[in-house]
Amino acid sequence: SSLKMDCYTVLKVIGEGSYGQALLVQPRKESEKYVLKEIRLPKSQSGIQSSRNEAILLAKMKHPNIVIFRESFEADGHLYIVMEFCAGGDLMQKLKWQKGLLFPEDMILNWFTQICLGTKYIHEQRVLHRDLKSKNIFLTDKGTIKLGDFGSACILNSPEAYACTYVGTPYYVSPEIWDSKPYNNKSDVWSLGCVLYELCTLKHPFQANSWKNLILKICRGSYPPLPPHYSYELHYLIKQMFKINPKDRPSISNILTRHRVSKLIKKYL
Ligand code: ADP
Ligand code: MG
């Protein structure tokens, strides 16, 4: 085993992913808890490089609304990433616990503003997240939003951004990706539209009994209406984020500063 690994006491398993586990750990002689994400490294050199990408990109991201990176290391065919523990859990859990009780609009706008600030920073670093969804957005014990899971992220206009057409989670994947066009910053905006819709309804905007019907609904941009008590600005924003043509969608920086919703979210900036 690795020497670095011996610096941490494992407290429990908090997440199970496709590549390995997320563990709650505590460095010996420290009281703060961290998350240690264990990723099985693939056999191929290119596979190993793309796994390392997650640690490299997360380490670069320094923003109040992005999970704080502590260190990463490799041992016995695994990559380990140690990061800030978000004790509030992920937004998906939060939505489930509501048991149908809708969030007030000011809470939604507060969270959404923080999500946008984190995403704006990512985009300014010329990075695309490519897997924005409620399960990859975390809350700290103080209720601060933190974007996490950079496992699908890539640098804008890098060969990888073009290489794999399908990334992400089906519910959140934008029409252009189903149309085999390259992933761009507006594809992240689409996914955040899905997250914002979920915050308002506790449901996915696009749902169907089959893959084919799901893709059809996404590519037509047809989703059930929002509850009417939310503001016109919020309704309008969601409509814009779900424009089929990525060029018609607002950028994150546009949402924060020049969109009709900006006057409602100013107080959270
Ligand atoms: P995967 O690539 O497998 O989706 P994630 O980084 O999303 O890996 O982690 C999997 C799960 O572990 C998350 O959905 C969440 O429930 C939990 N988790 C991951 N990182 C953290 C963190 N920093 N704080 C709290 N929970 C986390
Ligand atoms: Mg994840």
Side-chain angles (χ1 to χ4, degrees):
S1 85
S2 130
L3 291 169
K4 282 258 170 77
M5 192 68 190
D6 294 337
C7 301
Y8 296 96
T9 310
V10 176
L11 303 175
K12 64 170 183 179
V13 179
I14 55 163
E16 205 83 49
S18 39
Y19 310 99
Q21 291 181 319
L23 307 168
L24 182 67
V25 300
Q26 191 168 19
R28 302 192 194 282
K29 293 178 234 142
E30 277 182 52
S31 61
E32 202 77 34
K33 295 182 178 87
Y34 293 87
V35 169
L36 186 144
K37 188 169 166 178
E38 183 190 50
I39 300 156
R40 229 178 359 263
L41 286 170
K43 295 270 181 296
S44 73
Q45 252 332 295
S46 65
I48 292 173
Q49 278 313 326
S50 70
S51 297
R52 282 179 183 149
N53 209 37
E54 175 173 356
I56 293 166
L57 289 180
L58 182 65
K60 265 184 42 177
M61 301 294 143
K62 294 181 197 321
H63 187 273
N65 297 114
I66 297 177
V67 168
I68 302 168
F69 171 90
R70 179 180 161 111
E71 64 166 338
S72 73
F73 50 89
E74 287 174 29
D76 351 289
H78 287 81
L79 165 69
Y80 298 90
I81 303 173
V82 186
M83 63 189 125
E84 167 183 28
F85 168 52
C86 305
D90 62 63
L91 270 185
M92 194 176 94
Q93 289 171 296
K94 204 90 185 159
L95 297 172
K96 281 203 182 124
W97 287 333
Q98 286 301 108
K99 301 212 187 307
L101 178 70
L102 299 184
F103 292 116
E105 178 159 329
D106 58 354
M107 173 140 235
I108 295 171
L109 291 177
N110 183 349
W111 282 343
F112 181 70
T113 306
Q114 296 185 58
I115 294 170
C116 284
L117 289 170
T119 308
K120 179 172 174 259
Y121 172 85
I122 296 173
H123 287 177
E124 282 168 354
Q125 311 308 301
R126 300 184 56 74
V127 168
L128 304 173
H129 186 285
R130 300 202 298 180
D131 200 14
L132 290 166
K133 56 176 177 178
S134 51
K135 204 174 177 354
N136 285 337
I137 301 174
F138 306 110
L139 282 164
T140 66
D141 51 358
K142 293 182 182 74
T144 304
I145 290 277
K146 299 272 179 168
L147 306 183
D149 194 355
F150 282 72
S152 304
C154 73
I155 300 183
L156 189 66
N157 297 336
S158 66
E160 299 85 64
Y162 287 91
C164 43
T165 43
Y166 171 71
V167 287
T169 307
Y171 288 128
Y172 300 84
V173 171
S174 58
E176 63 272 18
I177 304 307
W178 295 121
D179 199 16
S180 308
K181 301 214 173 85
Y183 202 103
N184 63 83
N185 61 319
K186 300 293 184 68
S187 320
D188 273 350
V189 171
W190 176 281
S191 305
L192 286 190
C194 296
V195 172
L196 178 57
Y197 183 97
E198 269 184 286
L199 289 174
C200 295
T201 64
L202 312 175
K203 293 187 183 107
H204 292 298
F206 307 102
Q207 268 180 298
N209 47 15
S210 68
W211 270 77
K212 183 172 167 266
N213 288 336
L214 175 68
I215 297 168
L216 271 175
K217 280 189 177 173
I218 292 174
C219 293
R220 287 182 188 139
S222 79
Y223 56 90
L226 288 188
H229 70 272
Y230 290 122
S231 67
Y232 165 76
E233 288 81 359
L234 190 48
H235 278 86
Y236 181 71
L237 174 61
I238 289 181
K239 200 168 122 187
Q240 300 257 297
M241 294 177 86
F242 286 148
K243 289 280 185 188
I244 305 297
N245 186 344
K247 292 197 173 77
D248 297 334
R249 283 173 224 150
S251 67
I252 296 296
S253 116
N254 218 289
I255 293 170
L256 288 169
T257 57
R258 282 182 298 277
H259 197 273
R260 273 178 209 181
V261 86
S262 336
K263 69 177 197 290
L264 300 187
I265 64 177
K266 256 199 308 237
K267 59 182 163 196
Y268 305 114
L269 288 172

